[in-house]
Amino acid sequence: MTITMPDGLIVVAKADCPTCRLVEPLLTELAAAGALTVYVQDSTEYAATLPGTLYDQTLEHSWRLGAEFVPTLIRVENGQEVARTHGWHKGDWRAISGLGETLGKTLDEDLPEMRPGCGSKTLEPGIAESLELAFGDVKLQSRQIDISGADDPIEACYERGWSDGMPVVPPTPVRVLRMLKGTARASHEVIGLMPPDLVPCTVEKVAVNAVMAGCKPEYMPVVLAALEAALDEAFGLHGLICTTMFGSPMIMVNGPIARAIGMNSGGNALGQGNRANATIGRALQLIIRNVGGGRPGEIDRATLGNPGKYSFCFAEAEDSDWLPLAQERGIEPGRSAVTLFPGEGVQGIIDQKSRDPESLVRSIALSLRAVDHAKLAMAGDAVLVVSPEHARVFSEAGWSKQRLREELEQLLLAPGKDLIAGAGGIAEGIPERFRDKQVPKFRPGGLLIVRAGGTAGLFSAIIAGWAASGPIGSSPVTREVTL
Amino acid sequence: MNETILLDPTAENAPAQRARLARPDSLQGKVVGLLDISKPRGNVFLDRIEEQLAAMGIVVRRYSKPTFTRPAPTELKQQMAAEVDVLVEGLAD
C-alpha cells in the first residue's frame, strides 16, 4: 500500500527502548537541521518538546512504514524513502541525517559506535495480525457474527450448529488471518462446489473451518489438497455424504510434508493424540458440515456412521522396501500427496504366528473376505494397513507391495456358487449369474496397501470402503500437495 | 484476543428461505415425469405410479439418473424441465 510520507527525516521510537532513549537528545539536533517527524509507539512523553512528535497509539504509522525495530531512521525525499537504518549505528545516523560529524555535538559524552535497538511494537504477538486486518490489503469476506452477548465463544459456536459435537476453536478474524498465512493461495480463490449444497468453497472458508478444527497454519496445504481430492468427480463426495452406509472421507498422506508437520505414521497412527492427524481430518469434516451442509440426520443419512467421521487422517510409514501409496498412484518420488478414500472403521487382523509370507498372505486374504460381507464381491474397495512387523515378513522374503497385492488377488478369487444369494442358507449374496464363475473379491484397483503403525505388534488392519466403490460411486483420488 | 467477532464458517445461505412452486390443482392435461435415481427397486415404485397415472389418462414420461450417488447431470435436469410439468422422484430403496 502506498502512503504519503512527510519529506525530511522520520524516526520511529519506543520510550521503553534504551537505544531510543540514547538517541532522544539527538532528535533536537535533527529537528533544528530540517523537517523531522517522530512516531512514538508507547508514550506521549518521549521527545515531547519537538513539534513533529506524534503518539502512534494505533501503530498505523509504524505499520505502514514497515518498522521492524526501534529506533528506525528514515529519510524521505519527494515522498519517496531514500535511506533507512535501525538501531543506533553512528555512521548510518550521521550519513542519513546529513549532519555528518556534527551529529551529537550538543552532547557532553561521546556516542557509542553501535547499539542494537528493540523490536517494534507492531511485531508483538497478536498485534501484527490485528494491524494487518485494520490497515492491510487482506479483506476477509465471511459474514462477521457479533457474539458479544454470549458469555462463552465456544458455546456460541455450538449454538449455531458449527460443531461436530466436540468443542471448536472460535474462528476470530485474527485466527483466520493467521491460518491464511499457511497458504500462498488467495483467500477468495474458489476450490470448488461443496456438496451436498453445491456452494462455492473459498480458501477463506477452508481457513475458517481449519481454525475451528484446531489446525496450525502449516497444515493448510494438506487440508487444501485433501479438499481438492475430495471434490474430484471420481471421488463422488456428494453420494458419500448422503449415503446410509458407513463410509466417509479418509485421508492418507505421503511424502516429506508428513514429517514436516509432525504427522503420525507410527504407533497408534490410526488413533488419537497427534494434532496434525486429528485436525486435518476434522477440518475436512467441518467443511463438509458447515460449507456443504452435510449434517447427520439431515442429508447425511448414515444408518450407523463410524467414528472416522470426526476425523480420519494418517501418514504412511514409508520405507525403502515398499513403494509408497502416492508413488504407486503416479506421484513423483520426493513429492507430497494425499490420497482420499471413502473409509469405514478399522478392522484388525491379528496374526502372531505366521512367519513366512505364504502363511501371512493367506491369513490376510481370509480376513479381507469380511469387507462389506463375506458373501459380497466387487462392491467396496479396501485399504490394507500393514504394520511394520507384518511388512517385515514380506519384505524379508523379497515380496514387494505389488507382489503382495497380486498374491492376495489370487487368493481372493472364490467360486461364485459359494457367494450367490441363498448360498450357505444366507439370503445375502451376489447375483445368480456368477454361479459358475471364479469371482474376485475386489474390483481391479480396488485394494490399496499402505504401511503404518508401531514397530511392535504382528497386526495389520483393514479399512473397508464404500460398498458403492468405483465409477458407480467413489474411487480413491490422489492429489499432490503444493506449498 | 478479542473473541466477540467470529467469522461465519458456513455457506451463509441459511436464512434464504426458498418459496415452493404452487402445486397444480389437477394433473389433468399435465405431463408427469417419473425420475428413477437408479437405486434398487425404485422402478417397482415408479412402475406402480405410472400404472395409476396412466389409468387416469395422464401422460407420463420416464427418466433415470446414471447413478444415485451423484446429482443428476445438467443435461438430464434441463431435459426434464423442458418436457414435463410435474416430476415425481423415488428417493431411496
Side-chain angles (χ1 to χ4, degrees):
Chain A
M1 172 156 210
T2 55
I3 53 160
T4 311
M5 289 187 289
D7 279 346
L9 292 173
I10 299 174
V11 172
V12 182
K14 219 163 68 172
D16 78 349
C17 162
T19 307
C20 294
R21 287 298 190 189
L22 174 78
V23 303
E24 189 177 7
L26 299 177
L27 301 183
T28 310
E29 293 179 22
L30 300 186
L36 172 70
T37 308
V38 183
Y39 295 117
V40 191
Q41 296 183 338
D42 61 345
S43 165
T44 53
E45 52 82 29
Y46 181 92
T49 57
L50 300 179
T53 298
L54 289 167
Y55 177 26
D56 190 18
Q57 191 167 17
T58 65
L59 298 174
E60 179 175 1
H61 292 287
S62 302
W63 185 84
R64 292 197 186 283
L65 289 166
E68 296 184 3
F69 304 91
V70 287
T72 289
L73 174 66
I74 302 169
R75 174 169 283 286
V76 179
E77 288 172 6
N78 302 317
Q80 300 293 318
E81 175 174 335
V82 293
R84 174 184 293 228
T85 187
H86 55 75
W88 166 255
H89 295 266
K90 189 152 73 177
D92 286 352
W93 279 71
R94 282 176 166 176
I96 294 173
S97 68
L99 295 179
E101 298 201 352
T102 66
L103 183 65
K105 67 177 170 14
T106 60
L107 305 185
D108 296 335
E109 336 164 17
D110 284 344
L111 286 159
E113 283 302 311
M114 184 268 179
R115 283 280 184 278
C118 303
S120 166
K121 218 169 151 63
T122 51
L123 297 184
E124 286 178 12
I127 290 186
E129 293 94 346
S130 301
L131 293 171
E132 190 174 351
L133 282 171
F135 308 121
D137 292 333
V138 176
K139 291 286 173 269
L140 298 176
Q141 300 295 319
S142 297
R143 185 157 64 184
Q144 294 207 343
I145 296 180
D146 188 344
I147 55 148
S148 49
D151 62 353
D152 185 332
I154 294 174
E155 290 298 332
C157 293
Y158 272 117
E159 283 161 15
R160 281 163 180 75
W162 299 345
S163 156
D164 52 13
M166 293 203 270
V168 294
V169 177
T172 60
V174 165
R175 289 195 179 111
V176 173
L177 183 70
R178 277 183 200 158
M179 190 60 65
L180 285 166
K181 303 282 186 200
T183 176
R185 300 171 73 162
S187 60
H188 59 264
E189 185 189 339
V190 174
I191 302 299
L193 291 181
M194 196 67 209
D197 289 350
L198 299 176
V199 289
C201 182
T202 59
V203 171
E204 179 178 326
K205 288 294 183 189
V206 174
V208 174
N209 283 281
V211 164
M212 294 201 303
C215 289
K216 288 184 177 182
E218 63 190 301
Y219 306 165
M220 271 293 274
V222 183
V223 176
L224 287 165
L227 178 60
E228 285 180 330
L231 292 178
D232 188 301
E233 177 70 12
F235 192 64
L237 181 60
H238 191 102
L240 185 61
I241 290 170
C242 307
T243 183
T244 47
M245 291 195 187
F246 304 83
S248 193
M250 174 181 90
I251 306 166
M252 294 175 281
V253 183
N254 281 104
I257 189 85
R259 192 166 297 142
I261 64 174
M263 290 193 70
N264 184 16
S265 62
N268 203 45
L270 307 185
Q272 83 290 14
N274 176 279
R275 181 171 177 179
N277 291 30
T279 63
I280 291 169
R282 191 187 188 202
L284 180 58
Q285 291 290 341
L286 288 177
I287 292 166
I288 288 170
R289 175 186 184 86
N290 289 320
V291 183
R295 286 178 286 268
E298 298 178 29
I299 205 157
D300 175 345
R301 305 304 301 171
T303 307
L304 286 164
N306 86 76
K309 292 175 86 168
Y310 285 107
S311 177
F312 202 168
C313 175
F314 65 97
E316 179 162 13
E318 299 178 8
D319 72 350
S320 52
D321 290 325
W322 275 7
L323 203 57
L325 177 69
Q327 287 175 42
E328 289 185 287
R329 300 176 58 79
I331 300 294
E332 296 285 320
R335 303 287 193 147
S336 298
V338 295
T339 299
L340 271 275
F341 181 81
E344 299 186 351
V346 176
Q347 170 66 50
I349 304 173
I350 298 167
D351 183 332
Q352 306 189 96
K353 298 198 171 62
S354 293
R355 291 293 188 276
D356 58 74
E358 291 77 13
S359 169
L360 187 53
V361 74
R362 282 185 172 75
S363 194
I364 291 174
L366 189 62
S367 301
L368 279 165
R369 290 212 169 275
V371 168
D372 295 333
H373 186 290
K375 287 187 63 194
L376 290 176
M378 295 175 292
D381 294 344
V383 173
L384 174 66
V385 185
V386 185
S387 72
E389 282 208 312
H390 269 178
R392 196 180 60 214
V393 172
F394 296 115
S395 55
E396 282 184 355
W399 284 34
S400 65
K401 233 188 215 183
Q402 181 60 21
R403 167 91 185 269
L404 171 59
R405 184 175 7 252
E406 286 163 6
E407 299 278 352
L408 284 169
E409 281 167 0
Q410 279 303 311
L411 290 165
L412 283 164
L413 285 169
K417 67 178 172 55
D418 296 342
L419 304 181
I420 56 174
I426 298 169
E428 185 58 272
I430 61 175
E432 177 68 25
R433 66 176 185 275
F434 291 106
R435 174 184 286 277
D436 298 323
K437 298 201 165 85
Q438 284 287 97
V439 181
K441 176 68 185 177
F442 299 107
R443 70 187 181 98
L447 179 61
L448 282 63
I449 302 175
V450 294
R451 180 180 180 278
T455 50
L458 283 152
F459 315 128
S460 288
I462 298 164
I463 300 156
W466 190 16
S469 285
I472 182 184
S474 179
S475 301
V477 172
T478 299
R479 184 65 65 108
E480 186 166 336
V481 176
T482 50
L483 295 177
Chain B
M1 185 183 294
N2 180 346
E3 292 204 344
T4 63
I5 298 292
L6 302 183
L7 295 179
D8 191 334
T10 73
E12 301 178 18
N13 54 6
Q17 193 76 27
R18 207 165 51 170
R20 294 186 177 188
L21 290 175
R23 295 188 167 222
D25 295 332
S26 157
L27 290 179
Q28 287 308 321
K30 299 270 195 287
V31 179
V32 176
L34 299 180
L35 174 62
D36 186 343
I37 68 165
S38 298
K39 282 216 112 179
R41 291 172 57 79
N43 58 337
V44 175
F45 171 68
L46 294 174
D47 285 351
R48 183 75 181 121
I49 300 223
E50 180 173 10
E51 257 175 53
Q52 294 187 333
L53 290 172
M56 294 161 66
I58 292 162
V59 179
V60 174
R61 301 189 69 126
R62 297 290 292 262
Y63 305 92
S64 68
K65 289 189 355 178
T67 167
F68 60 87
T69 63
R70 300 188 203 298
T74 303
E75 297 77 15
L76 178 60
K77 286 192 272 192
Q78 291 173 341
Q79 184 194 357
M80 292 186 296
E83 294 176 353
V84 306
D85 302 301
V86 173
L87 189 77
V88 178
E89 180 174 341
L91 268 183
D93 48 359

